[in-house]
Amino acid sequence: MASLFWRGLIILPLLFVYVNGEHFLYPKRHTGKAELAGYKGPDSLAVDGGGFYSGPLIADDDGSTADGNAGGTTEVKVENLGKADGDNTNGSANSVESTQVAAKNGIGNGNIVEAKTTFKGSWELFVENAGVSAMHLILLPKINQALMFDATVWKISKMKLPGPPCRRVEGTTKEDCYVHSILMDVETGKIRPLRLNYDTWCSSGALDINGRLVSTGGYNNGSDTVRILDLCDTCGWEEYPGALGNGRWYATQVTLGDGRFMVFGGRDFPTYEFVPPQGQKNTLKDVIDFNFLVETHDPVENNLYPFVYLSTDGNVFIFANNRSVLLNPNTQTIIHEFPVLPNGARNYPASGSACLLPIMLKPNEDRRVIPSEVLICGGASHDAYAKADLQRPKVFLPGNTDCARLDITKRNGKWKIINMPSARLLGDMVVLPTGDVLIVNGAKTGSAGWDDAREPNLNPVLYKFQTDGTGSKFTVLNPSNIPRMYHSSFALLPDAKILIAGSNTNPGYFDDALFPTEVRVEKFSPHYLDPNLAMFRQEIIVEKSNNQVKYGQKFTIQIRGNGEIDQQKLQVTVYSPPFVTHGISMNQRLIQLGIVEFNKNVSPNTNNIVLQAPMNGNIAPPGYYMLFVNYNGVPCRQSMWVQFLP
């Protein structure tokens, strides 16, 4: 009865009273000054919550926010991970200054190379109307199309289905003829609508070994559904209602080293289960109670969409609210709990963001334990949702300004906490091909929920994964002019740009809200796409490269570029595209591969790189990865899809 009571008290304000055929209506719209409390107007957006000046909403002198044609001044810094602290040498290459700086962590091999530039990135409007607001987003392998979908519950979007059949609205005789799921070509912007029958609202997902999306959960008739989308020009959703043992609304899905999926949590269900094979169904006997999700449940939750990552030792790291544990997926037992992370809550609806930092491999890797670190940034106080959603007038508390980093392979691991340039919640964390992290999207005050956040954080921030300890780990980049609030999303693209989409703080499609439902799609070019660095961009010769590799196997990638290549300045990484929703980037994973050999000039301006694949699925779960070759810290022109197999 207690559970029913709090759910009635807390959850019902999130939901609608009725549907008018276009969108949900609040039980009562609190119009007037109170609704705008905490929003200072567009002029306030130029100064971040931490008092650091971020610049106006126009381009600064360092670079353009419009077309990206203006480059910045550049230099190249080489971070040599093989040398001891303080062993610095100077040299030059390509008429650009080079410096070798020792790493402090002792992880990885060879050199991490970074092209330093004053270029602060540039934005471009890619698609004016995607048809749907991208609550969920993932880049699909091989076909290079971005899958975007929202929810069927609203029965409306910005695009109609091209023809029958329409979706039958559950429990009624009405039909819904709007599009709720699309595939978008990331080069041309061409859109192909996909039909959905079972509600995907706040669902989860991951790619399988063959690159198919396996999505779980959602709302109402979709909460216990498993759905699969294959890779072909005519493929559509295959939906399997009743496949899960519990409903999974606001749950997190993770891929294990053997390719199986686990799904954790969801509203009202502090449990987890293994996702059944296609066409099979779980029962309640397949559901495992997980008391950790009971213990981390605030009166307003703050533990939905937990951060879940596969560690390199095969254990599963789960972070909920402010606590984290390691779970052995084979014995289904918690084997370790890490220290509490202070300063508020991090999961929905406090809604910080997190990522697994790059996994650094050596040539001929033989270490028993491969270090693996988690980074968690932002969030809100434990009562932020209650103040913004349940209190009248609404109060929008400041978001968190800190980032915390933890090695999850160490049993004595402790959080290392530093401050960001500004507060952020509802944000996203993109692990870039170089290993640095782009923190983007979100707000500075409030909480997740309908109309519960204010002060868009328009400036992306670059977090340096590894530094020499002498400079800031953060760089504030050029802002977008489109607020990306609750329900924003991203995808790292093969050309190393970032696709930015979504944002909907409204229970439906609203054009007249303070933050209207957003269907525009942007692309952001990070600092490494400074036009002055274009000479460093290599081309992967796909037809001369191995694209299907077994664990531990050595394989060859061929590259072509301008002039002589210095092996010391090469970096090869592989990236697993995440399923992105609500600030959660499920299964996002970047691995730096060890370079075993470098064969220069196999033909003019053409070189072969011999690499070693990850040793097992705990390091890189089986499936498709985007392979990037970075030179002087600048990614190649187009990544190549490579499949790792047992």
Side-chain angles (χ1 to χ4, degrees):
M1 291 298 294
S3 174
L4 291 175
F5 173 78
W6 76 256
R7 188 181 184 194
L9 180 63
I10 302 302
I11 304 306
L12 284 179
L14 286 171
L15 304 180
F16 57 95
V17 173
Y18 63 90
V19 178
N20 69 356
E22 294 186 355
H23 51 243
F24 289 145
L25 297 180
Y26 286 117
K28 179 180 179 182
R29 292 291 291 171
H30 295 270
T31 56
K33 297 292 185 182
E35 191 144 2
L36 299 180
Y39 183 64
K40 304 171 187 176
D43 290 342
S44 71
L45 302 180
V47 180
D48 64 42
F52 290 77
Y53 183 68
S54 302
L57 300 185
I58 58 176
D60 62 22
D61 293 337
D62 292 341
S64 169
T65 59
D67 56 21
N69 292 324
T73 58
T74 63
E75 64 174 326
V76 174
K77 183 175 76 174
V78 181
E79 187 168 331
N80 190 336
L81 299 182
K83 292 184 177 290
D85 286 350
D87 185 3
N88 298 333
T89 59
N90 293 317
S92 62
N94 298 320
S95 301
V96 182
E97 182 180 355
S98 295
T99 307
Q100 290 191 350
V101 183
K104 293 186 177 296
N105 296 331
I107 61 173
N109 69 284
N111 304 309
I112 296 226
V113 186
E114 144 190 296
K116 298 190 73 174
T117 172
T118 59
F119 182 61
K120 299 295 181 66
S122 63
W123 292 85
E124 59 185 287
L125 181 62
F126 179 51
V127 172
E128 181 72 33
N129 179 14
V132 301
S133 187
M135 179 188 294
H136 313 83
L137 175 58
I138 187 170
L139 179 70
L140 296 182
K142 298 192 296 183
I143 63 174
N144 288 341
Q145 295 191 35
L147 173 67
M148 304 177 186
F149 55 96
D150 58 2
T152 64
V153 69
W154 296 315
K155 302 189 289 294
I156 195 170
S157 68
K158 293 291 186 178
M159 182 181 294
K160 286 264 185 111
L161 289 167
C166 295
R167 182 182 70 92
R168 178 63 60 87
V169 178
E170 56 275 11
T172 75
T173 58
K174 297 181 179 179
E175 289 188 329
D176 171 13
C177 297
Y178 284 90
V179 172
H180 301 289
S181 174
I182 66 162
L183 282 171
M184 177 183 292
D185 187 292
V186 299
E187 290 291 334
T188 67
K190 182 180 178 181
I191 292 171
R192 180 164 75 90
L194 300 173
R195 300 176 189 275
L196 272 172
N197 289 305
Y198 295 88
D199 202 346
T200 51
W201 185 11
C202 303
S203 54
S204 48
L207 299 175
D208 72 4
I209 190 172
N210 295 312
R212 304 182 307 168
L213 176 66
V214 178
S215 174
T216 53
Y219 177 66
N220 202 1
N221 68 353
S223 66
D224 61 0
T225 297
V226 173
R227 54 190 76 81
I228 295 174
L229 182 63
D230 210 336
L231 309 176
C232 72
D233 291 339
T234 59
C235 288
W237 286 105
E238 300 176 61
E239 299 175 275
Y240 300 91
L244 298 174
N246 276 165
R248 301 293 174 189
W249 193 26
Y250 299 89
T252 303
Q253 186 172 327
V254 67
T255 309
L256 300 181
D258 59 6
R260 291 180 300 162
F261 303 118
M262 299 177 74
V263 59
F264 285 85
R267 180 161 283 159
D268 286 346
F269 290 108
T271 63
Y272 63 88
E273 59 189 289
F274 293 84
V275 178
Q278 184 173 359
Q280 298 184 24
K281 291 187 176 183
N282 283 350
T283 67
L284 288 177
K285 294 180 180 179
D286 299 303
V287 173
I288 300 126
D289 290 333
F290 196 34
N291 198 53
F292 173 72
L293 292 178
V294 177
E295 296 170 356
T296 55
H297 191 288
D298 282 349
V300 290
E301 301 173 317
N302 285 331
N303 70 344
L304 297 183
Y305 274 133
F307 305 137
V308 184
Y309 299 103
L310 176 69
S311 178
T312 52
D313 58 12
N315 294 308
V316 177
F317 173 84
I318 305 111
F319 184 101
N321 196 326
N322 59 1
R323 290 173 54 190
S324 52
V325 296
L326 276 181
L327 178 78
N328 184 319
N330 298 316
T331 63
Q332 287 104 55
T333 56
I334 290 176
I335 61 172
H336 182 70
E337 179 161 359
F338 295 98
V340 170
L341 179 57
N343 303 327
R346 311 291 174 155
N347 297 91
Y348 183 91
S351 292
S353 53
C355 68
L356 193 70
L357 288 171
I359 297 168
M360 313 293 286
L361 301 182
K362 297 179 178 180
N364 302 306
E365 184 63 73
D366 60 359
R367 287 175 292 173
R368 185 179 63 85
V369 177
I370 308 297
S372 181
E373 294 182 275
V374 165
L375 181 70
I376 297 175
C377 295
S381 63
H382 290 276
D383 60 346
Y385 174 79
K387 296 285 188 181
D389 194 89
L390 304 179
Q391 185 170 311
R392 294 296 181 269
K394 288 173 174 277
V395 174
F396 305 102
L397 298 179
N400 288 356
T401 60
D402 60 355
C403 281
R405 183 166 166 170
L406 175 73
D407 188 335
I408 62 176
T409 61
K410 292 181 178 178
R411 298 301 179 263
N412 62 347
K414 296 181 179 179
W415 293 102
K416 299 175 183 178
I417 301 176
I418 57 175
N419 281 325
M420 295 186 287
S422 60
R424 195 180 302 258
L425 61 140
L426 308 175
D428 288 294
M429 295 172 69
V430 190
V431 183
L432 299 173
T434 56
D436 294 329
V437 178
L438 185 75
I439 307 172
V440 68
N441 299 336
K444 297 178 183 177
T445 62
S447 167
W450 306 133
D451 193 42
D452 287 344
R454 294 292 186 271
E455 296 190 62
N457 198 328
L458 299 174
N459 289 85
V461 171
L462 182 70
Y463 171 86
K464 301 301 297 180
F465 167 52
Q466 292 186 337
T467 68
D468 60 5
T470 61
S472 172
K473 292 187 75 70
F474 296 99
T475 302
V476 179
L477 303 179
N478 281 331
S480 170
N481 59 9
I482 300 177
R484 300 286 181 179
M485 307 286 279
Y486 186 37
H487 293 143
S488 297
S489 55
F490 76 87
L492 174 64
L493 299 180
D495 62 1
K497 293 181 180 181
I498 315 300
L499 195 75
I500 301 290
S503 185
N504 193 6
T505 68
N506 315 296
Y509 278 67
F510 290 10
D511 294 327
D512 56 353
L514 177 62
F515 300 109
T517 302
E518 190 58 68
V519 293
R520 288 174 292 179
V521 178
E522 296 172 283
K523 287 184 179 180
F524 179 67
S525 297
H527 62 294
Y528 49 58
L529 295 181
D530 180 347
N532 289 337
L533 300 177
M535 60 184 174
F536 295 132
R537 300 194 78 180
Q538 303 296 302
E539 177 188 1
I540 299 177
I541 312 301
V542 175
E543 60 271 18
K544 297 287 187 179
S545 303
N546 301 127
N547 60 11
Q548 192 176 72
V549 187
K550 291 190 175 182
Y551 289 129
Q553 178 182 338
K554 292 180 174 61
F555 66 106
T556 300
I557 299 297
Q558 188 169 101
I559 60 171
R560 181 165 52 218
N562 298 316
E564 194 79 5
I565 291 290
D566 182 353
Q567 178 185 350
Q568 182 174 257
K569 300 172 184 177
L570 277 175
Q571 178 194 26
V572 180
T573 58
V574 291
Y575 177 83
S576 176
F579 181 92
V580 179
T581 185
H582 291 75
I584 310 296
S585 305
M586 301 179 199
N587 300 291
Q588 181 174 220
R589 205 174 189 91
L590 185 93
I591 304 158
Q592 178 174 302
L593 301 181
I595 298 177
V596 179
E597 295 178 25
F598 179 65
N599 301 314
K600 284 188 175 182
N601 297 322
V602 295
S603 60
N605 293 328
T606 304
N607 308 279
N608 285 347
I609 308 172
V610 180
L611 305 161
Q612 183 180 32
M615 297 305 296
N616 57 60
N618 293 332
I619 299 170
Y624 281 91
Y625 292 74
M626 303 162 71
L627 185 145
F628 288 92
V629 177
N630 308 314
Y631 185 56
N632 276 336
V634 182
C636 52
R637 298 186 181 278
Q638 289 281 327
S639 64
M640 181 187 82
W641 290 104
V642 60
Q643 186 184 31
F644 291 137
L645 297 170

